[in-house]
Amino acid sequence: MRAEKLKRYIFCVIAIMMVGCSVMKAVQPTAIIQAKAQEVTFEERNVLEDLQSSTVNGQPFDIKDYPFDESKDIQIITFVEYCYSYKVNLQDNYGLYIYVYNPKGRNIVAESSQNKVQMAIAYNEDKPTSYTKFNLKLCSKVDSGSYKNLFYKYKVIDREVNGKTFYDRVNSNERRYDISGIELLTYGETNATEYTVGGTYRFSGYAKGYGPDEMESTLSCTVTDLETLKLEVQHTNYRTNVSSLGKDHYNEVNTVYFAVPERIYEAYGKLQKIRAEWWEYTTKMAVVTSNEEFYNTMLNYIGVDVGEYDPTVPFYLYSGYDGNITGLATIHNYEWAYNREMKNTINDVYHCKNKSGILPLVFYAPNADSIGDIFSFLYSSPVAGDVQSSIVKDYIYNYTNDLGNGYIDCNGRSISVDLFESFVDDGRTMGYNDRTIDLEDTFDLNSYDSNHSWWDKLWDYGFSWPKTNGDYMDVQPIYEVKESDLTGEDNDISEKLIINENDVSELKEYYTKAKEENKRVVLFRFASTDYYTAKAMRTGVSNLDKTDTYVAQMTVFLDFDIIELTFNKDGEYRVIPVVSSPVDLVNGYTSPPLEFDWLKAILGIILLVFLVMLLLPLIPSIVAVILWVITLPVKLIRAVVQKLNKTKKRK
């Protein structure tokens, strides 16, 4: 039995090394026997040895055809189906392997869990209808010498998807594998880069010893191009007025946009569906201050678990406080708190919606400018500045996981769990998401006024009412940008397209370039979440009107990637796989909006009326002086002209 198994192994290796697109030419049996004797499996074989004993496109592999070349991207040299058999007792050796050519010599993180290949997993007749990603296991790479980092050998890690593995999906008479892209992580990068390698591989026959005729190899392969769509995805966001969730809450729409060639629409009709994946998390409350001294104090407690209350910590923080007296007790309600002593007594009862024992996100941002006009005195003073998206990203990437609480589930990446809550918004999914969104799907963005009365507004805001209306109803998640959408002021365009006002100019440039390339620009509004930002009370601050600190919380979308686009032409659907590198969608933190102070406005009006009444008796004199000043130049000119005329008459 052992000899029979060895014989089949040898036959399988020989057949694989000879086949068309696995395209390995026959290795000498003695070499294979030697490899077996040394317990070296096909998976363990050296990539360069495999290639040097192979054929590509019917020709012997020549390493001179694969030089280092900065003008080329990563490619698949060959795709190997190894030892497939319809016989149950011969299926242990079955596997799929990819040989990668890296012409730029990128320093790839060869064993990263972010390395993946995207392949079709479902078909309708002869057309793929669904794609998914599979992890890649490094088998071998050239890690030294003249060809260092030039060639890699990976095994596709198969798994059940919808209850089936690749073995369950293929047909014994013809095994088809559609590969759209390969994702590889480079050292120094935070996300993998996806490279276009579109190809359809069709295998038929069997390696020697694995088919009906065990004495002969009938294995062959053909390769044809697979249509893919390469997208360069851009990101923007939009935060509406106060949302239906109440004071300090704002609707946030996250959007990506990209350009699709006109030829795709002509061939396959309108864009009907977009499928994307991402890992979704809500950040813990970030603290932003314009007080540098307080900021430096907080730095000492980043990543330190102080529990509910630690008297040795020299400060506390809280937001969203609301107190009311019920009977003999005062009820203290907090939206969020850090190190705030909350010891219930007969006279005081404390409730906190979100109590944090750690302070992982801390930023220093000097005061933002006021609204910059003569009426700025009517608004509250800025608390602190905004924190840019790039700063938040870098903070997340570089956060030190000192508490040892582990990492979030995010494609195997080392991002500390300390930075994120154990929940996301109602109706959303924390962690991995795989969503297909249809053109016909819509969503609403409800403002504060949609479910709050004037009494609620008076209770929440007093007489400093912000703009609390502005519903967006039946918002389309998939929207093609028209030229007319980009006319007008940036603020108007921002509100119309539901994008960040700061990104309008960039979108205009993107649209212009896309139009020149005969492409359409598509907005994909894939998520609507809650953004919370509020002034914060802290030790050393007497009241919210004097505070220099705010807190903020938002949702982030990590390793966001569009998988496929579905087009609809008169009811006939066509799925096209997308080649698009994963990106982290992390917005910045914006400070609470300035509040209009009605008391100041009323006092200003009273003062203006008083001044008018005070100056009323002097108005005729003031008007006379003004008229005299206005007419003075005319009088001077007339006097000069008259003098010149008299001089002429004398002559």
Side-chain angles (χ1 to χ4, degrees), residues 111-170:
E111 298 185 73
S112 171
S113 59
Q114 291 173 253
N115 296 339
K116 298 176 183 292
V117 62
Q118 186 166 297
M119 301 178 66
I121 58 166
Y123 296 83
N124 181 9
E125 296 178 349
D126 197 42
K127 298 183 180 64
T129 57
S130 183
Y131 290 80
T132 198
K133 297 180 185 180
F134 295 88
N135 286 92
L136 294 172
K137 176 184 176 182
L138 179 70
C139 299
S140 173
K141 59 171 284 195
V142 182
D143 53 13
S144 63
S146 300
Y147 308 120
K148 181 179 179 180
N149 295 336
L150 194 58
F151 302 109
Y152 295 77
K153 175 184 176 182
Y154 284 101
K155 181 178 182 179
V156 179
I157 305 303
D158 197 4
R159 70 180 191 280
E160 284 194 1
V161 180
N162 299 327
K164 292 183 178 182
T165 63
F166 273 116
Y167 184 87
D168 301 320
R169 295 185 202 100
V170 297

Side-chain angles (χ1 to χ4, degrees), residues 486-509:
L486 301 175
T487 58
E489 298 296 325
D490 285 359
N491 180 64
D492 296 330
I493 296 171
S494 168
E495 292 184 357
K496 180 166 51 177
L497 292 180
I498 319 180
I499 64 172
N500 196 307
E501 184 176 351
N502 295 327
D503 296 331
V504 170
S505 59
E506 185 176 335
L507 176 61
K508 287 180 177 179
E509 293 176 7

Side-chain angles (χ1 to χ4, degrees), residues 82-99:
Y82 182 74
C83 292
Y84 170 85
S85 178
Y86 60 88
K87 300 177 182 179
V88 176
N89 63 322
L90 298 180
Q91 294 171 7
D92 291 344
N93 289 329
Y94 172 66
L96 304 174
Y97 296 83
I98 295 174
Y99 289 78

Side-chain angles (χ1 to χ4, degrees), residues 238-252 445-452 456-457 460-461 464-472 529-534 591-595:
Y238 182 79
R239 288 170 181 162
T240 68
N241 302 328
V242 179
S243 82
S244 59
L245 294 179
K247 184 181 180 182
D248 302 324
H249 292 268
Y250 303 82
N251 295 309
E252 178 160 62
L445 300 174
N446 293 318
S447 68
Y448 180 93
D449 286 354
S450 65
N451 61 354
H452 291 80
D456 295 325
K457 191 183 297 187
D460 284 340
Y461 298 102
S464 299
W465 293 357
K467 183 180 179 182
T468 54
N469 62 350
D471 292 352
Y472 286 82
T529 55
D530 176 51
Y531 176 70
Y532 175 85
T533 182
S591 61
L594 303 181
E595 297 177 356

Side-chain angles (χ1 to χ4, degrees), residues 554-603:
M554 64 182 174
T555 301
V556 300
F557 308 88
L558 305 175
D559 265 9
F560 176 92
D561 191 18
I562 296 179
I563 306 296
E564 59 196 30
L565 302 183
T566 301
F567 292 84
N568 178 4
K569 190 171 187 178
D570 301 325
E572 183 178 344
Y573 291 86
R574 181 63 178 265
V575 176
I576 299 181
V578 169
V579 177
S580 171
S581 298
V583 291
D584 293 333
L585 307 183
V586 179
N587 300 314
Y589 292 111
T590 51
S591 61
L594 303 181
E595 297 177 356
F596 186 79
D597 194 327
W598 283 101
L599 181 60
K600 287 183 180 179
I602 293 171
L603 290 175

Side-chain angles (χ1 to χ4, degrees), residues 1 3-15 83-91 205-219:
M1 182 69 183
E4 183 66 22
K5 190 172 182 180
L6 175 60
K7 179 180 177 183
R8 287 200 179 97
Y9 174 84
I10 294 171
F11 286 160
C12 185
V13 171
I14 293 174
C83 292
Y84 170 85
S85 178
Y86 60 88
K87 300 177 182 179
V88 176
N89 63 322
L90 298 180
Q91 294 171 7
Y206 307 90
K208 192 172 184 179
Y210 282 78
D213 186 350
E214 294 190 1
M215 301 308 295
E216 184 179 353
S217 172
T218 57
L219 186 62

Side-chain angles (χ1 to χ4, degrees), residues 328-613:
L328 297 177
T330 301
I331 308 300
H332 304 273
N333 297 302
Y334 298 84
E335 184 79 16
W336 174 84
Y338 168 81
N339 200 44
R340 178 68 169 171
E341 186 175 13
M342 297 183 183
K343 187 177 181 180
N344 291 332
T345 65
I346 295 176
N347 297 321
D348 296 282
V349 178
Y350 295 88
H351 299 287
C352 186
K353 183 178 178 181
N354 185 7
K355 188 182 296 183
S356 179
I358 63 174
L359 204 63
L361 293 156
V362 173
F363 301 93
Y364 171 66
N367 286 334
D369 294 331
S370 64
I371 61 174
D373 59 35
I374 61 174
F375 298 105
S376 60
F377 73 94
L378 296 176
Y379 289 81
S380 60
S381 300
V383 176
D386 298 339
V387 182
Q388 299 301 315
S389 167
S390 58
I391 295 175
V392 181
K393 279 186 182 180
D394 288 341
Y395 190 104
I396 291 173
Y397 298 150
N398 297 315
Y399 180 83
T400 303
N401 190 22
D402 290 336
L403 290 177
N405 291 327
Y407 304 100
I408 59 173
D409 171 27
C410 182
N411 211 6
R413 298 171 64 186
S414 298
I415 299 178
S416 175
V417 73
D418 297 348
L419 299 167
F420 303 98
E421 301 284 6
S422 59
F423 58 83
V424 290
D425 293 345
D426 290 343
R428 301 199 62 83
T429 302
M430 187 173 75
Y432 182 70
N433 284 256
D434 183 340
R435 296 280 306 278
T436 299
I437 298 177
D438 193 281
L439 178 65
E440 305 303 323
D441 296 335
T442 60
F443 61 91
D444 299 333
L445 300 174
N446 293 318
S447 68
Y448 180 93
D449 286 354
S450 65
N451 61 354
H452 291 80
S453 66
W454 69 269
W455 176 255
D456 295 325
K457 191 183 297 187
L458 183 63
W459 181 262
D460 284 340
Y461 298 102
F463 290 101
S464 299
W465 293 357
K467 183 180 179 182
T468 54
N469 62 350
D471 292 352
Y472 286 82
M473 308 302 292
D474 297 325
V475 178
Q476 294 177 285
I478 302 173
Y479 182 79
E480 291 181 8
V481 179
K482 301 182 291 294
E483 191 166 0
S484 59
D485 293 327
L486 301 175
T487 58
E489 298 296 325
D490 285 359
N491 180 64
D492 296 330
I493 296 171
S494 168
E495 292 184 357
K496 180 166 51 177
L497 292 180
I498 319 180
I499 64 172
N500 196 307
E501 184 176 351
N502 295 327
D503 296 331
V504 170
S505 59
E506 185 176 335
L507 176 61
K508 287 180 177 179
E509 293 176 7
Y510 190 88
Y511 180 87
T512 300
K513 182 179 178 182
K515 188 175 180 181
E516 291 171 353
E517 297 173 351
N518 200 25
K519 295 179 180 179
R520 300 187 194 180
V521 175
V522 177
L523 297 179
F524 179 35
R525 303 161 179 148
F526 68 92
S528 171
T529 55
D530 176 51
Y531 176 70
Y532 175 85
T533 182
K535 293 180 180 180
M537 284 289 290
R538 68 170 181 87
T539 301
V541 171
S542 59
N543 59 68
L544 281 179
D545 290 335
K546 303 297 183 182
T547 189
D548 51 21
T549 302
Y550 70 88
V551 293
Q553 187 172 53
M554 64 182 174
T555 301
V556 300
F557 308 88
L558 305 175
D559 265 9
F560 176 92
D561 191 18
I562 296 179
I563 306 296
E564 59 196 30
L565 302 183
T566 301
F567 292 84
N568 178 4
K569 190 171 187 178
D570 301 325
E572 183 178 344
Y573 291 86
R574 181 63 178 265
V575 176
I576 299 181
V578 169
V579 177
S580 171
S581 298
V583 291
D584 293 333
L585 307 183
V586 179
N587 300 314
Y589 292 111
T590 51
S591 61
L594 303 181
E595 297 177 356
F596 186 79
D597 194 327
W598 283 101
L599 181 60
K600 287 183 180 179
I602 293 171
L603 290 175
I605 292 171
I606 293 174
L607 179 61
L608 181 62
V609 171
F610 176 75
L611 289 173
V612 169
M613 292 178 63

